[in-house]
Amino acid sequence: MKLMDGNKKFVVRDPKKAHLFYIPFSSLKLRNALHEPNFASQKDLENHLKNYVDTVARKYRFWNRTKGADHFFVACHDWAIRFTRNNLGSCIRVLCNSNIARGFKIGKDVSLPVTYIRSGENPSKDLGGIHPSKRPILAFFAGGMHGYVRPILLQYWNNREPDMKIFGPMPRDIEGKARYREFMKSSRYCICAKGYEVHTPRVVESIYYECVPVIISDNYVPPFFDVLNWEAFALFILEKDIPNLRGILLSIPEEKYTVMQQRLKIVQQYFVWRKIPEKYDLFHMILHSVWYNRVLQVKP
């Protein structure tokens, strides 16, 4: 919000000149505000959201012009996709949970990259990793046992092969996080297995550390797919193929792996968040996706 508001290239003061309208919204803050004795159910959340939309519609005539089709909001909570589908379903929804089986609509909704802001002042710090020819680990994963996919991953590959470093949760202290990064920097492939929902920050982390992402998350729509060819630098493996994971990775020719790894360095710039935005960075890419979906909707 701050970066948009401070950039004259994106914000106009005359609403008649606007192509899109941003709706300030936080699914997490809404839940925290209403999680009181009198507001306990999802229905209460939806009703509160309806009142919010009704207020916007009464106060600003631009909502009624398109029924909200030229409005957009951002929501990264798992359940935002579910309880916005009715009251904000006509909007462009920028969602982390880009699950087409749960109602994510390609061509209208936008897949938001899930990532931590590493360092706004020095975003390039610690990017990259060991040269691809010297990475000793074939595949790496570490994380909590959320959902049904990750337990299956550990069942087949935990302590099975020396070049498959597949773990449960690692310590989240300074030493644990440093060890996690070193595993990524030393691995050829980083397993990005879904948790409770389809999205995981490991996808962007893999790109940061130039470890080819292996996305195991059926129904997941990756961010910026409208301009990026994800299959050129990432692998998509069906959940049912987890038992064959090592064989699939070993069957990839060295030349293909090298090219994919090199392409990670090219796309890396699109996933970096800067305190002062630069062309093609994460801030610009997200807004481009929103604009692009709006262009698709107004085509005759």
Side-chain angles (χ1 to χ4, degrees):
M1 290 174 62
K2 180 180 178 181
L3 294 181
M4 283 193 299
D5 193 46
N7 194 317
K8 295 181 179 179
K9 294 181 180 179
F10 294 109
V11 176
V12 294
R13 298 306 172 188
D14 182 356
K16 295 178 181 178
K17 297 180 180 179
H19 298 118
L20 288 158
F21 297 87
Y22 173 66
I23 300 179
F25 171 78
S26 170
S27 54
L28 181 60
K29 287 185 177 181
L30 176 62
R31 187 186 67 170
N32 290 342
L34 300 184
H35 262 197
E36 300 173 359
N38 295 329
F39 297 96
S41 70
Q42 179 184 326
K43 191 66 177 177
D44 292 324
L45 295 173
E46 292 181 350
N47 288 337
H48 192 82
L49 187 57
K50 181 180 184 302
N51 292 335
Y52 173 49
V53 172
D54 289 344
T55 299
V56 172
R58 286 195 305 270
K59 190 173 182 180
Y60 303 103
R61 61 188 176 88
F62 299 96
W63 174 276
N64 296 319
R65 185 177 60 179
T66 62
K67 301 299 182 183
D70 54 359
H71 290 56
F72 75 99
F73 67 89
V74 179
C76 205
H77 201 278
D78 285 2
W79 41 267
I81 189 173
R82 183 177 69 250
F83 85 92
T84 60
R85 62 189 173 191
N86 293 324
N87 298 308
L88 290 172
S90 61
C91 299
I92 298 174
R93 302 183 301 169
V94 186
L95 302 167
C96 291
N97 190 7
S98 55
N99 186 341
I100 57 175
R102 294 288 183 91
F104 183 90
K105 297 181 180 180
I106 295 176
K108 186 184 76 65
D109 297 330
V110 171
S111 178
L112 182 68
V114 186
T115 183
Y116 303 104
I117 304 303
R118 302 166 64 254
S119 172
E121 289 77 13
N122 187 14
S124 298
K125 180 183 178 181
D126 210 32
L127 292 182
I130 298 175
H131 190 276
S133 64
K134 298 180 180 179
R135 296 194 175 209
I137 302 170
L138 176 64
F140 166 67
F141 172 85
M145 293 296 99
H146 310 310
Y148 62 87
V149 170
R150 297 180 184 183
I152 297 174
L153 181 66
L154 260 68
Q155 174 189 343
Y156 279 95
W157 297 112
N158 179 239
N159 294 323
R160 294 299 180 91
E161 298 287 347
D163 59 356
M164 298 280 286
K165 304 299 183 183
I166 309 297
F167 309 121
M170 294 178 66
R172 297 188 62 82
D173 54 17
I174 295 176
E175 292 77 11
K177 291 179 179 179
R179 188 163 176 257
Y180 179 89
R181 287 194 300 270
E182 287 308 309
F183 270 119
M184 278 201 155
K185 290 170 174 281
S186 304
S187 301
R188 293 165 68 90
Y189 299 96
C190 286
I191 310 303
C192 307
K194 67 175 290 185
Y196 290 126
E197 285 296 346
V198 294
H199 55 292
T200 167
R202 287 164 187 79
V203 176
V204 177
E205 288 174 341
S206 300
I207 295 172
Y208 285 161
Y209 304 124
E210 297 164 10
C211 177
V212 175
V214 179
I215 300 172
I216 306 178
S217 181
D218 297 356
N219 302 313
Y220 172 63
V221 179
F224 316 144
F225 72 94
D226 48 349
V227 293
L228 297 182
N229 177 16
W230 276 80
E231 293 184 346
F233 58 88
L235 296 174
F236 292 84
I237 293 181
L238 295 175
E239 296 164 11
K240 67 180 181 62
D241 289 332
I242 289 177
N244 305 319
L245 178 59
R246 186 168 184 269
I248 292 172
L249 298 181
L250 290 174
S251 69
I252 298 172
E254 185 69 19
E255 182 180 356
K256 179 179 178 180
Y257 161 74
T258 301
V259 171
M260 294 180 75
Q261 202 272 347
Q262 291 172 344
R263 286 171 176 162
L264 288 176
K265 297 181 181 180
I266 299 174
V267 302
Q268 203 175 69
Q269 62 177 316
Y270 306 131
F271 295 89
V272 174
W273 184 271
R274 291 180 168 85
K275 188 174 182 178
I276 301 177
E278 295 181 9
K279 199 173 183 179
Y280 304 121
D281 67 4
L282 186 55
F283 171 72
H284 287 86
M285 291 296 290
I286 293 171
L287 290 185
H288 175 270
S289 290
V290 176
W291 168 82
Y292 186 79
N293 276 18
R294 175 57 180 157
V295 170
L296 291 179
Q297 290 188 59
V298 298
K299 280 185 176 180

